[in-house]
Amino acid sequence: MNARVLVAGIGNVFLGDDGFGVETVRELAAHPLPEDVEVVDFGVRGVHLAYQLLDGYDTLLLVDATARGGAPGTLYLIEADGSAGPQPGGDGEPAPPPPVLDGHHMSPDAVLALLDTLCAGTGATPPRRTLVLGCEPAGVEEGIGLSAPVAAAVPEAVRMALDLIHGRDHGRDHDETDRPRRELRRTP
């Protein structure tokens, strides 16, 4: 398996703090990075991201606004585990509907569900590890520009991404009781 890394900034710059991912990868791209690391601003093009992942990456780092109830500007590093256990559709449960293909309103969960569908159809392999570097938004109302606490979190998010890229994953929790998603690190 290769060691390619895709850092994907996602979000809508016309919805305030939803532009966090886009702004963070813009700043990250200004840093020298290993040649096996790609940093891409996907914005609202979730379908494009899912298809790009078919090119084969070992690690996907999604950078996005992530509402989890913390103070605005709080950063989260979350590991999304692709093996979430038993899936609906077995033992008489109805199968989940296919992902909705609305290229401008696809959440990270919808992108990953579409990727699973595409991999099943093409024989491609999804990333071995998927992480979400998220920031608690202050607001995602119509408007351009990040709020003060989210803008202040961008440099720390860039530092966290660089640490991950360079193998300094200080927040990694090696607990063997993995849940489908677990928070590895949270800033105050």
Side-chain angles (χ1 to χ4, degrees), residues 10 13 34 39-40 45 53 76 81 83 87 90 102 105 111 117 125-126 133-134 138 141 153 157 159 174-175 181 187:
I10 53 180
V13 297
V39 177
V40 181
R45 299 179 328 270
L53 288 168
Y76 308 103
D81 180 4
S83 59
Q87 298 298 315
D102 179 353
H105 296 96
V111 169
T117 300
T125 303
L133 175 53
E141 295 80 27
R159 190 196 63 72
H174 293 284
D175 183 3
R181 285 188 176 218
T187 64

Side-chain angles (χ1 to χ4, degrees), residues 52-76:
Q52 173 126 2
L53 288 168
L54 293 177
D55 289 344
Y57 293 89
D58 182 63
T59 303
L60 168 63
L61 176 60
L62 294 168
V63 185
D64 194 11
T66 307
R68 295 176 59 90
T74 299
L75 294 173
Y76 308 103

